[in-house]
């Protein structure tokens, strides 16, 4: 018992030290000198302008996502623009060169997303300037983001700390056998009357209340739920996204429940391109997806600034809504 206590104390000291280092990096990042006029920045041989993003900027955002080979379609971008706030950087003739958005979830949390900088300008400071703008807007909030490999060092320099990998699994799905549901559980289609239960489960798993985001996902999605004694204890949704279909969000208590939730959705999409982004490190769940034709395509790094909010027991997130929404 003493050895275990000592280990826990060491972990607490390490965690405290990590948080202090994170705060120091954040302070240094935010204190870097900037021109007096924050709406202007000099990049390469021209001056760019930063302004708030609006719903009318969808064509400009599409240009940006195409430049970095993201699969977003018009309806995907419309959803993000309607749910979030942020900034876009434009060159002197109105071409987009970068963007950064944040998605408020309740009064004390925000998710950062749609962080895009055109490849040729990624080392010239545009991403850092945009990041500082949304950090100022979200000062005092707990924050989370999904960092691509090209953006990781920037976020780390701003004080964000690594949580773990998010596995992007995708492919043209094939027939898969339905896993056996645990005793006492039943599976059925998601219904309109399930909204309240889904909100409660998602709030626990996600670590923040996000009614606007979740309602938007429900309006765009079909899905299934798992019940225990008549109460919803897990759910999975799917909707059109990018090249085909995305499964998410998915909230389940364990691997077996998650597989039972995803299997009927995968079966409905046989022969189509399907994607699921999971923060779960379980090899069992990822192997199940791979067997269905959804192999690991890429990974991003989940990072946070402030309190860590994602649940690690009971109902947990097995599939993200998207990288930008978590």
């Amino acid at each position: 018992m003493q050895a275990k206590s000592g280990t826990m104390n060491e972990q607490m000291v390490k965690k405290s030290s990590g948080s202090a280092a994170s705060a120091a990096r954040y302070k240094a990042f935010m204190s870097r000198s900037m021109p007096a006029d924050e709406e202007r920045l000099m990049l390469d041989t021209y001056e760019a302008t930063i302004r708030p993003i609006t719903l009318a900027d969808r064509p400009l955002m599409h240009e940006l996502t195409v430049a970095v080979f993201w699969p977003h379609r018009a309806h995907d971008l419309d959803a993000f623009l309607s749910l979030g706030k942020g900034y876009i950087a434009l060159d002197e003739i109105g071409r987009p060169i970068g963007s950064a958005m944040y998605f408020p979830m309740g009064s004390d949390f925000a998710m950062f997303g749609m962080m895009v900088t055109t490849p040729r300008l990624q080392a010239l400071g545009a991403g850092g300037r945009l990041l500082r703008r949304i950090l100022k807007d979200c000062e005092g909030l707990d924050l989370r983001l999904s960092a691509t490999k090209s953006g990781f060092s920037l976020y780390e320099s701003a004080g964000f700390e690594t949580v773990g990998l998010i596995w992007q699994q995708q492919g043209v799905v094939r027939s898969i056998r339905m896993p056996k549901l645990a005793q006492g559980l039943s599976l059925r289609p998601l219904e309109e009357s399930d909204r309240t239960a889904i909100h409660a489960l998602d709030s626990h798993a996600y670590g923040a209340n996000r009614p606007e985001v979740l309602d938007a996902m429900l309006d765009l999605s079909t899905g299934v739920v798992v019940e225990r004694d008549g109460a919803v204890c897990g759910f999975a949704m799917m909707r059109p996204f990018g090249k085909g279909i995305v499964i998410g969000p998915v909230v389940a208590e364990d691997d077996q429940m998650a597989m039972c939730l995803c299997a009927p959705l995968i079966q409905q999409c046989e022969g189509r391109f399907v994607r699921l982004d999971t923060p779960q490190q379980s090899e069992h769940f990822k192997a199940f997806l791979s067997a269905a034709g959804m192999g690991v395509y890429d990974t991003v790094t989940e990072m946070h600034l402030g309190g860590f909010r994602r649940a690690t027991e009971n109902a947990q997130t097995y599939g993200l809504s998207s990288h930008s929404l978590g």
Side-chain angles (χ1 to χ4, degrees):
M1 292 298 290
Q2 291 179 349
K4 183 176 181 180
S5 177
T7 301
M8 289 178 64
N9 288 335
E10 290 173 4
Q11 291 174 346
M12 290 176 66
V13 169
K14 184 176 180 181
K15 184 175 181 180
S16 175
S17 174
S19 298
S22 171
R25 294 198 305 274
Y26 171 83
K27 184 176 180 180
F29 181 82
M30 295 300 287
S31 65
R32 290 176 187 171
S33 61
M34 294 185 293
D37 181 3
E38 291 189 353
E39 305 304 319
R40 316 291 289 184
L41 67 152
M42 184 64 69
L43 289 176
D44 201 7
T45 58
Y46 58 86
E47 192 176 66
T49 302
I50 295 176
R51 64 163 175 78
I53 287 176
T54 70
L55 291 172
D57 290 324
R58 186 234 282 167
L60 298 175
M61 293 298 291
H62 188 249
E63 286 185 42
L64 280 174
T65 56
V66 168
V68 292
F69 303 104
W70 288 6
H72 299 60
R73 301 299 193 258
H75 57 82
D76 305 319
L77 295 171
D78 285 342
F80 293 139
L81 291 170
S82 67
L83 291 168
K85 303 176 182 180
Y87 301 92
I88 188 167
L90 306 171
D91 69 13
E92 292 175 324
I93 60 173
R95 295 175 301 185
I97 60 175
S99 67
M101 294 187 69
Y102 59 97
F103 301 87
M105 313 286 186
S107 61
D108 58 355
F109 181 84
M111 184 82 192
F112 283 5
M114 297 307 295
M115 314 280 285
V116 190
T117 305
T118 52
R120 71 185 186 88
L121 298 176
Q122 286 178 354
L124 296 180
R129 185 68 59 81
L130 288 161
L131 177 58
R132 273 189 286 273
R133 290 297 295 269
I134 60 174
L135 281 170
K136 285 185 175 182
D137 287 356
C138 298
E139 189 172 2
L141 305 184
D142 290 338
L143 305 172
R144 184 187 300 165
L145 58 77
S146 301
T148 61
K149 294 175 179 65
S150 62
F152 178 85
S153 60
L154 171 63
Y155 306 133
E156 187 177 47
S157 74
F160 283 86
E161 297 181 284
T162 296
V163 176
L165 290 179
I166 292 173
W167 304 81
Q168 180 179 334
Q169 302 212 195
Q170 62 186 45
V172 177
V173 298
R174 50 182 173 260
S175 178
I176 189 168
R177 185 171 60 182
M178 182 70 188
K180 185 178 180 180
L181 200 59
Q183 188 173 0
L185 301 179
S186 59
L187 182 75
R188 63 167 174 79
L190 186 155
E191 300 173 352
E192 177 64 28
S193 59
D194 295 321
R195 281 186 185 249
T196 300
I198 286 173
H199 274 272
L201 283 169
D202 184 78
S203 179
H204 169 81
Y206 189 81
N209 293 316
R210 50 174 184 168
E212 294 84 2
V213 169
L214 204 58
D215 281 338
M217 296 299 100
L218 282 162
D219 290 343
L220 295 169
S221 305
T222 58
V224 292
V225 300
V226 165
E227 288 184 318
R228 179 186 292 114
D229 298 326
V232 175
C233 54
F235 69 87
M237 291 187 260
M238 69 177 183
R239 69 183 191 280
F241 180 86
K243 299 177 181 179
I245 299 293
V246 64
I247 295 178
V250 179
V251 171
E253 295 175 350
D254 53 35
D255 290 356
Q256 193 67 20
M257 182 183 288
M259 291 187 291
C260 289
L261 284 163
C262 291
L265 303 185
I266 292 171
Q267 288 174 339
Q268 292 178 42
C269 296
E270 185 175 347
R272 301 182 65 186
F273 183 88
V274 181
R275 169 177 172 175
L276 188 150
D277 300 296
T278 181
Q280 293 295 328
Q281 305 304 303
S282 163
E283 292 301 325
H284 190 41
F285 181 63
K286 295 200 291 289
F288 160 79
L289 295 175
S290 295
M294 301 166 62
V296 176
Y297 174 76
D298 198 3
T299 61
V300 295
T301 303
E302 184 174 46
M303 305 183 79
H304 76 104
L305 184 62
F308 174 69
R309 308 281 289 258
R310 189 185 294 288
T312 56
E313 58 183 19
N314 300 320
Q316 301 172 51
T317 300
Y318 271 79
L320 305 185
S321 300
S322 70
H323 282 170
S324 290
L325 298 175

